[in-house]
Amino acid sequence: MSILEKVKALVHHEAPGAPLELDDIQATVLFDRPDPYFGTHVLLRFDSAAGGRALLGSLAPHVRSAADARDNTEAWIAVALSHAGLRALALDEALLASFPAAFSAGMAARADRLQDTGPNAPETWEAPFAGGQVHLAVSIFAPDEASWQAAMATAREQFASMRDVTVLASHDFGAQPDSRNAFGYRDNISNPAIEGGTADTWPGQGRPIKAGEFILGYPGEAGVPLAQPGTESEPLGRNGSYVVLRKYHTDVAGFNRFLREHGGDADGQELLAAKLVGRWRSGAPLTLAPERDDAALGKDRQRNNDFTYEDDQEGLKVPHGCHMRRMNPRDSKLAILTDVNLHRLSRRSTTFGPPYDPNLLEDDGAERGLFFIGLSAKAAETMEFMQQEWINHGNFIDLGEERDPLVGQQPDGATFTLPERPVRRRIHGIHSFCTLRGGEYLFMPGLRALRRLGGLDG
Ligand code: HEM
């Protein structure tokens, strides 16, 4: 790509305030999955450029746009490609070089920046991750089992009829009763509001964030769009977004043992579980229900995210180091000055495995966990920042080397600090409850770009 083309790609943008081109944006970028949900992530490899393009062309008409996403009564699919996938489509080098370095390298190659070492290192990942084989991820989301099965039958037929395309893996997922995740918490409550988006907004989301932080081609928080991949003649980036996909295995038995060892009686264990996350398992935030759970609050979307940390700067209700406060410190006073709104991801994570069992104390070998899925116009950069600063470090909240109690990779002797009066309580012996089993950086193209990649009219 010539310097001139690069500059043009950088400055090519709409005037501030231009409406979002909803019919060109994949629904998943702006809309959360249904609740409850059923679905499957299918990971594929293109064995020839023609095969890959034919598959994209056949999938494109089924990918839901944000303009069609108002009601969640039908199944929909979303698609995203890795850089290796774009290369396998034989895109020209200038186009391939216009993507950001982290995405182009792929998640495994960025393990040092992500601090994915030891048990989380790419060498330990499951196939097909880490081998550069994952070219395309197709996610099918459905609001009920029947529409999921119907959509899957169509997808399977399509994959089977394609030449030169290999299905590498197929992972089913689905919320557990009451929208719980593998550790038994109601999940996906808090997500950023996106300016110009048409999804419902809820009290407590904070001011809407400029669309360009999530969708390529629109002004971001700095007033200009983030760099877009593509060239003048091939504006591949427009209305696209980036995706971080990370498959975590959850050690539920170890988590339950930890709660029993350090939480005391049943109520104390639930309180400790709430302190680790910042919410009770019902979803009720500790800021609004500091002493006991409030199940009605937990499921009330008008109230369950409507809080700030203004009255809890000491962390007496919500520990500074808990998962939720680390991942979005909101208005917490931080030891390292940070614009929190520049480090947001839209989460579309999906849970898999058997429902949470509070009495599981020995690992039963079952596959259970969570596909963390985070979207933004700079998702890889944000994920790397979070891993380095907010997940595997504590300096930003004056906690030295202490790590995120839920997803941090804990060294021997790790601690979790609970601010209390007169003296804080420090729990020793916290261990890693999540292990990374694989992941990839993906690009979720706009629908016109997808059609062009699939050899259809752009
Ligand atoms: C197995 C892994 C994980 C589990 C079980 C988990 C669980 C949870 C739970 C229960 C909540 C509270 C519900 C909510 O506010 O939506 C939450 C919030 C959140 N998590 Fe995770 N999480 C996991 C991994 C991650 C990772 C890897 C990241 C980011 C890199 C992340 C980012 C967030 C964010 C941004 C919030 C919302 C915070 C807020 O806006 O207040 N999570 N997570």
Side-chain angles (χ1 to χ4, degrees):
M1 192 180 191
S2 72
I3 291 183
L4 188 65
E5 268 182 315
K6 273 192 184 162
V7 171
K8 277 185 182 164
L10 276 171
V11 298
H12 176 79
H13 63 270
E14 295 295 314
L20 302 183
E21 295 167 359
L22 297 174
D23 58 347
D24 196 35
I25 299 169
Q26 291 198 39
T28 304
V29 178
L30 289 174
F31 288 84
D32 206 348
R33 45 166 174 62
D35 181 21
Y37 62 93
F38 299 79
T40 305
H41 298 301
V42 186
L43 305 175
L44 300 109
R45 186 183 65 219
F46 307 142
D47 296 319
S48 74
R53 286 184 185 273
L55 175 63
L56 296 182
S58 78
L59 288 172
H62 303 285
V63 175
R64 183 169 304 172
S65 79
D68 294 330
R70 285 265 7 134
D71 72 76
N72 267 339
T73 53
E74 289 169 32
W76 84 74
I77 70 169
V79 300
L81 296 120
S82 67
H83 196 260
L86 293 167
R87 183 173 288 286
L89 294 176
L91 297 193
D92 76 50
E93 284 301 325
L95 208 48
L96 290 170
S98 67
F99 282 89
F103 168 73
S104 305
M107 189 175 282
R110 302 285 288 186
D112 54 340
R113 316 259 180 149
L114 287 159
Q115 305 195 341
D116 290 340
T117 56
N120 286 352
E123 295 72 40
T124 67
W125 291 2
E126 290 169 1
F129 295 112
Q133 303 256 320
V134 176
H135 291 166
L136 177 72
V138 178
S139 297
I140 291 141
F141 295 91
D144 56 69
E145 201 158 355
S147 58
W148 168 42
Q149 293 303 350
M152 273 310 289
T154 314
R156 269 192 218 103
E157 231 170 76
Q158 249 178 346
F159 299 147
S161 68
M162 291 289 151
R163 290 172 49 167
D164 285 351
V165 170
T166 304
V167 174
L168 302 170
S170 181
H171 291 280
D172 295 343
F173 57 80
Q176 298 173 2
D178 211 15
S179 294
R180 303 304 172 104
N181 69 21
F183 289 126
Y185 296 83
R186 182 186 299 277
D187 205 345
N188 253 30
I189 298 169
S190 175
N191 258 319
I194 301 178
E195 200 175 277
T198 47
D200 293 333
T201 52
W202 306 100
Q205 276 181 299
R207 75 163 169 83
I209 303 203
K210 297 280 180 215
E213 294 296 320
F214 299 93
I215 310 163
L216 294 162
Y218 301 88
E221 287 287 306
V224 289
L226 278 74
Q228 289 185 62
T231 55
E232 192 98 346
S233 56
E234 189 94 37
L236 197 59
R238 184 161 189 80
N239 290 320
S241 189
Y242 290 100
V243 183
V244 167
L245 172 74
R246 285 164 79 79
K247 182 182 178 189
Y248 288 98
H249 172 72
T250 47
D251 175 10
V252 172
F255 189 68
N256 286 342
R257 287 198 305 271
F258 176 80
L259 295 180
R260 289 187 186 208
E261 270 163 40
H262 299 280
D265 62 11
D267 287 349
Q269 290 172 35
E270 277 309 304
L271 178 62
L272 178 56
K275 293 279 186 185
L276 293 170
V277 165
R279 291 185 187 275
W280 298 88
R281 285 200 166 108
S282 69
L286 278 171
T287 38
L288 304 180
E291 271 153 33
R292 64 192 61 81
D293 192 6
D294 178 343
L297 169 64
K299 61 175 169 219
D300 183 350
R301 297 213 69 177
Q302 294 296 337
R303 296 189 293 143
N304 67 8
N305 199 35
D306 193 10
F307 63 87
T308 67
Y309 295 117
E310 191 184 354
D311 296 333
D312 188 32
Q313 293 297 350
E314 286 176 81
L316 293 170
K317 295 181 194 167
V318 186
H320 304 111
C322 75
H323 176 64
M324 187 174 85
R325 194 163 179 169
R326 280 174 175 267
M327 297 294 87
N328 180 10
R330 303 187 189 211
D331 57 345
S332 303
K333 294 194 175 76
L334 301 179
I336 299 174
L337 214 63
T338 314
D339 184 343
V340 169
N341 284 332
L342 295 181
H343 305 294
R344 306 293 303 276
L345 292 170
S346 273
R347 289 179 304 138
R348 302 287 182 258
S349 304
T350 56
T351 284
F352 58 90
Y356 171 69
D357 174 1
N359 296 316
L360 186 80
L361 296 174
E362 290 303 325
D363 187 24
D364 58 1
E367 274 258 296
R368 41 166 74 79
L370 183 130
F371 284 96
F372 175 80
I373 300 175
L375 277 85
S376 90
K378 53 172 198 288
E381 197 184 296
T382 300
M383 190 70 213
E384 292 178 4
F385 167 86
M386 283 178 148
Q387 282 285 112
Q388 289 169 29
E389 304 294 331
W390 288 358
I391 292 180
N392 288 318
H393 233 277
N395 279 342
F396 77 112
I397 39 177
D398 272 336
L399 284 175
E401 291 298 309
E402 207 169 282
R403 300 177 177 209
D404 184 305
L406 210 57
V407 286
Q409 194 183 315
Q410 310 294 351
D412 285 347
T415 55
F416 176 61
T417 302
L418 291 148
E420 277 176 16
R421 283 203 185 114
V423 280
R424 67 186 176 194
R425 180 175 165 213
R426 194 157 259 177
I427 299 180
H428 290 264
I430 188 160
H431 47 96
S432 307
F433 298 125
C434 291
T435 312
L436 190 66
R437 289 277 163 89
E440 194 48 279
Y441 289 146
L442 302 162
F443 169 61
M444 185 167 275
L447 292 168
R448 269 197 302 273
L450 180 64
R451 284 196 290 273
R452 265 202 308 278
L453 288 171
L456 310 175
D457 288 344

